[in-house]
Amino acid sequence: MRIQFLKCHGSGNDFPLIDARALTLTEPEWAILARLLADRGGPVGGDGLLALVPGDDAHAFGMRMWNSDGSEAETCLNGLRCTARLGFDVLGLDAAQVKLKTSSASVARDPEIAPGVVTIRTLVGPNSTRAADVGLVGAPEAVIDARIEGLPNPRRFTAVAMPNPHLVTFVDAVDEDELVALGTWCEGRPALLPARGNVSFVEQRGPQSLFVRTFERGVGLTDSCGSAMAGSVLSAALTGRVPFGTPIEVFNRGGMVRGQAEADRRVMLSGNATFEGLFAIEADLAGGMLGTPVLIEDRPAERAAWRNAVAALR
C-alpha cells in the first residue's frame, strides 16, 4: 500500500504524521506500521507515529499516536500540536476540540514563539494525581514530592497522569545514566508499575524556567516529550516551586515551549509544530517492509526557522 506522510516535529520530538481519516487498518496493522515508520534504523525514523483521525459530535477531529515499539500512547503533546496543525489546515480551522485515546484536548493557533515558527497552543486536563491513575500499584492515594517504596531510586517523585503516566523528580543536575537506569527498570513492567511509565528529571533554572530530560515509555531517552513537559509544569506547581497560573519557559534538548499550570490541574503548552516535508512510501505490512520515501513537497523555510529559533536559545 502507498502511504503519504508528513515528517514533522514538536520541540525536536519528530514523527511521521498520516492523514488517516479515510484509512482503514486493523490494530495489529497500525502497530506494524508504527514500528516500520518510526524505526530509527529504517528509511523514515521517528519517536512514534501520528495519525489524524475522524472526530465526533464533540470533536472536530481526533489523534492517535503509537510509540516506536508499536504500543499506543494515551497522548503525546508535541505530536498533538503537529496533528492539530494538520487538522486546522485540512478543515480550515484555527481552534478545535480534539479527541485523544482516553481524553480530550483544546487546541488553537498561537502567536509565533520565534519568527517563521508555526505555533500551536494545547490545553489538557484536568489531570490526575491519583496513584492508581498513574498505574502505581500499592502506593498511597497520591505521590507528591515523596519517595516511592519499591522504586529502585531514593529520590522524591511526583506522580501525575496526563493522562499517560509520569514520574517527575527535581534535581540539581540531570544524571542521564541514572535516568536511563530508572527508565529501563520501568520498561520492564515491574509489579509496582505494570503498565510502565515515563520518567523525567527536571532542573529548575530560575523562578519561571525548567529544563526537562525524559526517558519515554516505549521510546527511551528522547530530546523532547510534550506530556513530560506538561507533567513537569504541573509538578512544579503541585510542589510549590512555581505558583499555579504562572507562565513558565520549559527547555529540553529539542528546544523550548511556553507552559502554565492552572489551579484546576489543567496545563497549557504552546510550542512549534514544524512540517519538514511531505513524502510518499510503499508499505508492505504483511512482509514488514518499507520502500524508499519519495519527497513530494519540501519545507526548507520551516526547517531554517526552527534552526534559527534553537540557535537563539543557546
Side-chain angles (χ1 to χ4, degrees):
M1 64 185 300
R2 183 177 173 86
I3 293 174
Q4 285 194 6
F5 66 91
L6 282 159
K7 195 65 190 295
C8 62
H9 77 83
S11 295
N13 206 184
D14 67 316
F15 311 92
L17 165 60
I18 297 172
D19 183 350
R21 291 174 297 159
L23 184 61
T24 302
L25 295 177
T26 66
E27 294 305 314
E29 286 174 333
W30 274 119
I32 292 169
L33 186 59
R35 288 193 294 269
L36 291 174
L37 288 176
D39 179 6
R40 287 293 181 194
V44 179
D47 286 327
L49 171 65
L50 302 173
L52 175 71
V53 297
D56 53 28
D57 291 343
H59 303 88
F61 51 86
M63 180 190 85
R64 296 184 69 183
M65 184 271 180
W66 292 265
N67 297 310
S68 54
D69 67 355
S71 61
E72 187 172 3
E74 293 89 343
T75 189
C76 169
L77 298 187
N78 285 331
L80 175 58
R81 297 200 304 275
C82 295
T83 308
R85 178 184 173 184
L86 178 58
F88 292 161
D89 289 350
V90 299
L91 297 175
L93 302 173
D94 291 319
Q97 196 73 15
V98 182
K99 180 177 176 60
L100 306 176
K101 182 182 179 183
T102 61
S103 61
S104 180
S106 298
V107 295
R109 297 188 188 272
D110 218 24
E112 295 178 348
I113 60 171
V117 175
V118 176
T119 301
I120 304 295
R121 182 178 72 251
T122 63
L123 182 64
V124 296
N127 303 288
S128 177
T129 56
R130 292 184 66 247
D133 293 338
V134 181
L136 288 169
V137 176
E141 174 67 17
V143 177
I144 298 177
D145 202 22
R147 292 182 175 87
I148 301 176
E149 185 176 350
L151 196 72
N153 187 295
R155 293 187 183 275
R156 304 177 73 86
F157 287 85
T158 296
V160 291
M162 304 301 296
N164 55 340
H166 289 268
L167 301 180
V168 179
T169 186
F170 290 85
V171 299
D172 293 331
V174 172
D175 182 327
E176 289 192 358
D177 290 340
E178 180 188 357
L179 173 58
V180 169
L182 181 56
T184 302
W185 183 84
C186 292
E187 282 290 275
R189 300 183 183 274
L192 176 67
L193 198 62
R196 306 180 295 171
N198 305 283
V199 183
S200 292
F201 284 12
V202 183
E203 299 173 14
Q204 184 168 6
R205 294 184 170 178
Q208 296 169 232
S209 178
L210 304 177
F211 173 79
V212 180
R213 197 80 170 105
T214 300
F215 190 101
E216 189 171 353
R217 180 181 62 168
V219 179
L221 194 64
T222 69
D223 284 348
S224 176
C225 174
S227 59
M229 290 188 288
S232 298
V233 169
L234 179 58
S235 296
L238 289 169
T239 59
R241 289 174 167 87
V242 179
F244 283 100
T246 301
I248 302 176
E249 289 185 333
V250 187
F251 297 88
N252 53 62
R253 289 287 182 86
M256 183 270 286
V257 299
R258 298 185 292 249
Q260 183 169 310
E262 306 298 345
D264 63 0
R265 297 186 178 177
R266 293 184 301 165
V267 178
M268 183 279 292
L269 285 187
S270 179
N272 76 299
T274 299
F275 290 173
E276 298 186 322
L278 177 66
F279 297 82
I281 196 167
E282 290 291 335
D284 176 3
L285 301 184
M289 298 177 62
L290 291 177
T292 301
V294 177
L295 179 63
I296 299 172
E297 181 186 356
D298 198 12
R299 303 283 186 98
E302 292 204 35
R303 292 197 302 272
W306 181 248
R307 282 197 303 269
N308 292 338
V310 172
L313 297 174
R314 294 173 176 165

